[in-house]
Every structure is written in structure tokens, then in C-alpha cells.
Amino acid sequence: MSLTHNKARLKWACRRGMLELDVLFMPFVDEAWDQLSDQQKQVFERLLECDDPELFAWFMGHEECKDEQLNAMVQLILNRVKV
């Protein structure tokens, strides 16, 4: 089931096992979700399906995500944090 139309389920899916990821995902959903295009929402949902160690490596800059769409979403989230 897609999380796109159920923000409560989406926020639940954003709760990760790592605090570093929680502090990125939760504010992003609260502040930016409604402005995302449908395609961006789908990419974000795909991002949430990734494993925490992978996500951590991408967001901390230890590795670059090879998937162009996922990498663009990672960069979008990181850029929002820097503002």
C-alpha cells in the first residue's frame, strides 16, 4: 500500500533505528511533503525502503547513492537541512 495518501503511515515509516535518520526524515515530512510532486513522493517512499546503514552512509557523505532518483532525493533532504 502506498504511503503517499496516508501521512500518519508515512510518518511511522520515517521512524528509523537511527536518531540521525529520524532527525532528517521527520521534519522533512512535516515541512516539505505537501510541496513534493507525485513522482518525488514515490521516490521518497522508495528511499524509505532502503536499509538504515545504506541511508546513513548516503546522508553522512560516506558513500554516494548510485540510483539517480534516490540520490536526488537525498540531496534535496540534505539541502533543506542546511537552509
Side-chain angles (χ1 to χ4, degrees):
M1 177 181 170
S2 175
L3 303 172
T4 303
H5 301 293
N6 191 330
K7 202 167 185 179
R9 284 183 181 228
L10 177 70
K11 289 178 84 169
W12 181 257
C14 287
R15 297 182 68 183
R16 311 303 290 204
M18 293 183 178
L19 178 62
E20 295 88 348
L21 297 176
D22 289 350
V23 299
L24 290 170
F25 290 154
M26 298 301 283
F28 181 75
V29 169
D30 287 336
E31 299 165 9
W33 179 257
D34 295 329
Q35 289 79 40
L36 296 179
S37 69
D38 288 341
Q39 181 184 4
Q40 287 173 312
K41 288 177 180 180
Q42 290 173 355
V43 172
F44 184 74
E45 284 186 43
R46 261 194 331 120
L47 187 69
L48 292 179
E49 294 172 3
C50 297
D51 294 328
D52 285 357
E54 226 175 10
L55 292 169
F56 182 82
W58 297 339
F59 280 102
M60 297 304 130
H62 301 292
E63 293 178 20
E64 184 175 327
C65 177
K66 302 296 185 223
D67 182 299
E68 288 183 26
Q69 289 181 323
L70 293 180
N71 190 48
M73 183 57 61
V74 167
Q75 297 310 312
L76 177 67
I77 294 169
L78 287 173
N79 287 337
R80 288 191 60 84
V81 171
K82 292 177 185 175
V83 173

